[in-house]
Amino acid sequence: MFNLITLNYRKIYELFPPYKRKQSIVIAFLLLVSSALDLLGLGALLPLIILVLDPEALNQGSFFGDLYLKSGLSSTTMFLIVVSAIILLIVVLKNLMSVFIQYLLAKFTFSIQEHFSNLLLQKYFHRGLSFIKASNSNRVARDVNGVPNKFSTNLLLPLLNLTNEVIIFGLIVIALLIYNPWVVGLVLLIVLPTFLIFYRFSKNKVQYYAERMFEINPMIAKTLYESFFGYTDIKVSGTAKKFQADYEKNLHESLGFQVLNQTFKAAPTKVIETSMILGILSIICFGLYYYDDRGSLLTLLSVFALVAYRVLPSANRLMIAVIEIRAHQYTLDVLDRVNNVYKEENQDPSPVKFHKEIQFNNVTFQFEDKEDLILDGLSLKIKKGERLGVIGKSGSGKSTLMNLLLLFYEPSSGSINCDGLKLDISKQEAWRKLIGYVPQEVFLNDGNIRENVAFGVEEGDIHDALILQCLERASLKDLLDSLPDGIYSSIGERGSRLSGGQRQRLGIARALYFGAEILLFDEATSALDSGTEKEITDSINKLAEEHITMLIIAHRITSLKHCSRIVEMEEGKLVGEYSFEQLIKEYS
């Protein structure tokens, strides 16, 4: 057990930032104070027990006898009442202080949860697009939100409580050893093996149960997510039973482990209670054999009954804390990721200026775990104010070109420059201040138009006049005029109350709100009908008058009607360059 405590403290200390380490020293001191207060409350009852069970304790010449005479009280009964009142006051003050210490302890542990949850979110954001695409969103959410919570409530807090209980338990045992070492040895000989046997039996099981629940719960969340967001496809394809069966299977397994886990948490109370009763019976047998005076035996039993009153819940909490700590060791492995350093964390604060052109210079790209080249020696210039269209079959490298321009990826070789300045991961934040991105499906939250245009901006910092201007520039004035609440009109979850074209133009308005000088359209019209597609292309043509630079990736040739020029990609290379009229002739 001591190895469990020291090992976890060492790991946690390494994870904590310096200011949390200082706070942890204060918390450790408060735990010692809490332990001393518990012993004070326990020890305060001993004088009263002695006075009640031993009338001779008030005889002149004894400590309590002299105290009684000096008190000036008229009777021993009144003296006992006064002593009882003092003990009650001590216990009340002790408990008030203990509750305050528990408040500080809980505040500290949940501040740790907040710290690690925020830090993990930052770390996961800095791991890049490749990681996000390869990861299950439910597992990421579990790691960022669930694991810090489990760490704080099921590992750190139990560890601190365990430390407190071990200190109290040790001090009580020392005091009893001074009082009667033979009896303490007898009780420990009976109680300690019971505790160790149960711990050895349960420790690996509860750790396995907790780790399995850690793995299963994201699968449950995944099935629920897919069931509701894929509702129409599931119903049309008739596969609802399969999703329901997956959910039932994982839920049943998870709940089964929770049942076993809760059973093991409840068992220590019964195990310890049984061992304590066995210990008291052993003391009785010991006393009957060694004490001729039943009064001495009664005093001994009273002392141990008082100790049992404090030790029984203490031992129970101690054993439950050990089980919780063993079960949640996995949280330390997840939290250890906060020490990883990723490229995106080191950002160059100097601004990026765009006056002339963006250059792709002999750029190649391949994913680290794959051999195939996605881009192969691509060279391309994009002039400021130009509207460049990009076409090509699926897998030709169009989306990779877009992600490189967004600096989600870095070239495997070659470079991307803006007015001669090399763009790399360290320039992400500065570069993206110039860029607006409109994907095939614009992400919209369940809010109003105002919140979705000024996406992520604090309520008090939103400029309504600028929002109205951007909506008009994105050709959404007619929509706005038709809504009774204007920019405060709700758009529903994922923009369900808007048409496909309106959602895309809302994405354009968002890009304009943030001052984009470069607009990137990634298959923005591929899911739209021809009429809606025309609305988007007309919006693009209107923006062209403002000399905004645009890169438009499209499958449909008609989506590129207003482009200055159009390049064609095939197997990661540029294989042709056209005007819109030339492209129509080429593919007619």
Side-chain angles (χ1 to χ4, degrees):
M1 183 196 300
F2 289 103
N3 284 338
L4 182 70
I5 294 174
T6 54
L7 181 63
N8 278 279
Y9 269 125
R10 183 176 60 80
K11 287 184 177 179
I12 290 169
Y13 186 81
E14 290 172 355
L15 285 171
F16 277 8
Y19 76 99
K20 286 296 179 186
R21 292 175 183 174
K22 292 178 182 178
Q23 289 179 6
S24 66
I25 295 172
V26 176
I27 292 297
F29 173 74
L30 289 175
L31 283 172
L32 289 174
V33 172
S34 179
S35 301
L37 290 172
D38 279 332
L39 289 176
L40 177 64
L42 184 65
L45 289 171
L46 289 175
L48 186 61
I49 292 173
I50 293 171
L51 290 172
V52 171
L53 294 178
D54 186 7
E56 295 182 1
L58 288 175
N59 290 342
Q60 188 173 1
S62 67
F63 173 78
F64 290 111
D66 293 341
L67 191 62
Y68 167 59
L69 291 174
K70 290 178 182 179
S71 69
L73 296 171
S74 57
S75 67
T76 56
T77 301
M78 183 59 68
F79 180 73
L80 290 174
I81 291 172
V82 171
V83 171
S84 299
I86 293 172
I87 290 171
L88 178 61
L89 180 62
I90 291 171
V91 170
V92 169
L93 292 175
K94 183 271 295 186
N95 285 334
L96 286 174
M97 182 62 73
S98 294
V99 169
F100 180 66
I101 289 174
Q102 283 299 314
Y103 165 77
L104 295 177
L105 182 60
K107 186 177 180 181
F108 171 73
T109 54
F110 287 114
S111 73
I112 293 297
Q113 175 185 337
E114 181 182 17
H115 168 79
F116 281 116
S117 186
N118 289 332
L119 198 54
L120 278 171
L121 180 62
Q122 294 172 23
K123 290 291 180 178
Y124 277 37
F125 258 84
H126 288 139
R127 294 188 70 170
L129 183 63
S130 299
F131 167 77
I132 296 299
K133 283 188 171 183
S135 300
N136 179 281
S137 59
N138 296 294
R139 292 183 181 276
V140 172
R142 173 203 64 189
D143 290 354
V144 170
N145 188 38
V147 168
N149 176 266
K150 291 290 185 184
F151 169 75
S152 297
T153 58
N154 298 106
L155 194 149
L156 181 58
L157 195 56
L159 184 62
L160 293 171
N161 286 329
L162 174 62
T163 306
N164 188 31
E165 299 301 340
V166 167
I167 293 170
I168 293 171
F169 200 80
L171 292 175
I172 289 174
V173 168
I174 291 170
L176 288 177
L177 282 171
I178 295 171
Y179 179 75
N180 194 321
W182 293 105
V183 177
V184 174
L186 178 65
V187 173
L188 289 179
L189 192 63
I190 296 169
V191 174
L192 199 58
T194 308
F195 177 89
L196 293 176
I197 289 169
F198 180 80
Y199 172 67
R200 295 281 295 180
F201 174 74
S202 63
K203 66 175 184 177
N204 292 328
K205 288 181 171 58
V206 293
Q207 186 169 352
Y208 172 72
Y209 299 153
E211 288 175 354
R212 283 296 297 145
M213 284 189 288
F214 178 69
E215 293 298 323
I216 292 170
N217 288 339
M219 296 165 64
I220 295 173
K222 174 178 177 288
T223 305
L224 280 175
Y225 176 85
E226 292 174 348
S227 297
F228 288 108
F229 284 99
Y231 177 82
T232 53
D233 293 309
I234 290 170
K235 294 296 284 185
V236 170
S237 62
T239 54
K241 289 184 179 179
K242 190 264 182 187
F243 283 85
Q244 291 168 4
D246 287 346
Y247 178 76
E248 289 173 7
K249 173 182 173 293
N250 290 326
L251 182 64
H252 179 75
E253 187 176 0
S254 176
L255 292 177
F257 286 129
Q258 288 188 50
V259 168
L260 293 170
N261 199 33
Q262 290 299 319
T263 303
F264 272 102
K265 286 182 182 180
T269 304
K270 307 305 177 185
V271 172
I272 293 168
E273 181 183 345
T274 303
S275 62
M276 281 294 180
I277 294 296
L278 184 58
I280 291 172
L281 292 176
S282 301
I283 292 171
I284 292 173
C285 294
F286 175 85
L288 289 172
Y289 186 77
Y290 282 101
Y291 289 112
D292 296 327
D293 180 12
R294 294 297 174 89
S296 299
L297 175 59
L298 184 60
T299 303
L300 180 64
L301 281 174
S302 298
V303 170
F304 272 87
L306 180 62
V307 171
Y309 165 76
R310 179 58 186 84
V311 168
L312 183 62
S314 180
N316 182 53
R317 287 193 293 268
L318 189 148
M319 190 174 286
I320 289 175
V322 169
I323 290 172
E324 288 280 15
I325 293 166
R326 289 287 305 183
H328 293 88
Q329 290 294 294
Y330 66 85
T331 60
L332 292 171
D333 295 330
V334 176
L335 295 185
D336 192 48
R337 296 170 192 170
V338 301
N339 293 320
N340 296 338
V341 179
Y342 303 102
K343 284 184 178 181
E344 292 188 12
E345 295 182 69
N346 300 314
Q347 291 295 307
D348 184 347
S350 57
V352 176
K353 302 294 184 181
F354 177 39
H355 298 295
K356 296 179 181 178
E357 64 182 15
I358 302 164
Q359 293 180 317
F360 283 73
N361 298 316
N362 198 29
V363 170
T364 63
F365 179 80
Q366 65 186 129
F367 289 105
E368 291 182 0
D369 56 343
K370 296 182 180 179
E371 295 183 1
D372 296 336
L373 286 176
I374 300 175
L375 294 184
D376 185 6
L378 185 143
S379 294
L380 176 67
K381 291 183 180 180
I382 306 170
K383 298 287 186 181
K384 184 175 177 63
E386 184 177 19
R387 302 179 304 283
L388 177 68
V390 182
I391 60 168
K393 297 177 182 178
S394 294
S396 61
K398 302 188 303 298
S399 293
T400 301
L401 173 69
M402 182 72 74
N403 286 325
L404 282 166
L405 193 54
L406 286 164
L407 296 186
F408 283 126
Y409 303 149
E410 281 188 315
S412 301
S413 64
S415 66
I416 304 171
N417 297 339
C418 177
D419 291 355
L421 175 68
K422 183 178 179 180
L423 300 177
D424 55 28
I425 296 297
S426 69
K427 290 290 184 183
Q428 273 184 344
E429 291 182 6
W431 174 240
R432 287 173 185 165
K433 291 178 181 178
L434 305 178
I435 289 179
Y437 177 56
V438 185
Q440 183 175 344
E441 185 175 351
V442 175
F443 178 79
L444 301 171
N445 62 28
D446 187 10
N448 56 43
I449 290 175
R450 180 174 181 266
E451 293 166 349
N452 276 281
V453 173
F455 185 69
V457 177
E458 292 292 338
E459 174 72 22
D461 296 330
I462 297 176
H463 299 290
D464 289 352
L466 180 58
I467 286 177
L468 291 170
Q469 181 186 4
C470 293
L471 288 168
E472 184 172 357
R473 290 168 67 193
S475 304
L476 281 172
K477 188 176 186 303
D478 291 343
L479 168 67
L480 209 58
D481 292 341
S482 69
L483 297 172
D485 297 321
I487 60 175
Y488 292 94
S489 300
S490 173
I491 63 172
E493 189 173 26
R494 302 173 73 187
S496 59
R497 296 181 184 178
L498 302 178
S499 69
Q502 288 167 342
R503 288 195 292 270
Q504 295 306 110
R505 280 178 285 167
L506 199 61
I508 295 173
R510 178 188 292 170
L512 296 173
Y513 180 85
F514 287 99
E517 297 180 24
I518 306 164
L519 282 179
L520 308 179
F521 296 87
D522 190 1
E523 306 284 5
T525 62
S526 62
L528 306 177
D529 57 53
S530 57
T532 308
E533 178 193 23
K534 184 177 183 302
E535 294 175 2
I536 302 300
T537 55
D538 288 346
S539 298
I540 291 172
N541 188 46
K542 182 179 176 182
L543 289 171
E545 299 172 3
E546 302 180 24
H547 300 289
I548 292 176
T549 306
M550 292 181 243
L551 178 69
I552 305 166
I553 290 177
H555 273 300
R556 294 180 188 168
I557 295 174
T558 50
S559 299
L560 306 174
K561 180 179 179 180
H562 301 294
C563 289
S564 312
R565 63 188 175 110
I566 302 161
V567 295
E568 184 177 9
M569 293 186 66
E570 186 176 316
E571 296 182 352
K573 298 178 180 180
L574 295 182
V575 294
E577 183 176 322
Y578 313 91
S579 67
F580 179 72
E581 291 75 16
Q582 290 172 331
L583 191 64
I584 292 292
K585 290 180 182 178
E586 181 75 18
Y587 286 92
S588 60

